[in-house]
Amino acid sequence: MAASHAQIEIGSVVTGTVRSLQPYGAFIDIGGIHGLLHINEISYDRISDVGTVLQPGDTLKVMILKHNRQKGELSLSTKKLEPIPGAMIRYPKLVFEKAEQMGLIFRKKVAQAAAKA
């Protein structure tokens, strides 16, 4: 598992499986590593119940936002992959089709911001 953690990069788009739901988000299994998809990172639209969007066993694409190697924790997002706000709720298939493209746009914006800093 340590090797898996070493390969994880911020901004990467990966495929995972929903393992469990909590009032505050969903725990996603990414090849044996678990990450949290917080309710606020599911969509730009407000979500009051995670179960209305995700169910255990669902396969989805997520972006890695943060990686705490010491604790082995991942923070994930599908919101950053939405081509239009609210798409994760209304058009999840579109989000997954455009995930890599949206991930690339996100990584370019982060690189540009870092270059300006």
Side-chain angles (χ1 to χ4, degrees), residues 10-29:
I10 305 303
S12 295
V13 175
V14 296
T15 301
T17 304
V18 177
R19 288 295 168 217
S20 66
L21 302 180
Q22 298 297 324
Y24 51 85
F27 285 96
I28 312 296
D29 179 0

Side-chain angles (χ1 to χ4, degrees), residues 60-99:
L60 65 155
K61 292 184 181 181
V62 294
M63 178 185 289
I64 298 171
L65 291 183
K66 296 179 188 170
H67 183 205
N68 184 328
R69 284 179 169 78
Q70 290 78 19
K71 293 183 178 181
E73 297 173 343
L74 293 175
S75 295
L76 308 170
S77 177
T78 52
K79 175 167 86 173
K80 301 283 191 266
L81 301 176
E82 289 184 322
I84 54 174
M88 188 61 196
I89 296 168
R90 291 183 288 285
Y91 316 110
K93 187 176 177 181
L94 175 66
V95 174
F96 302 141
E97 288 172 0
K98 301 273 187 185

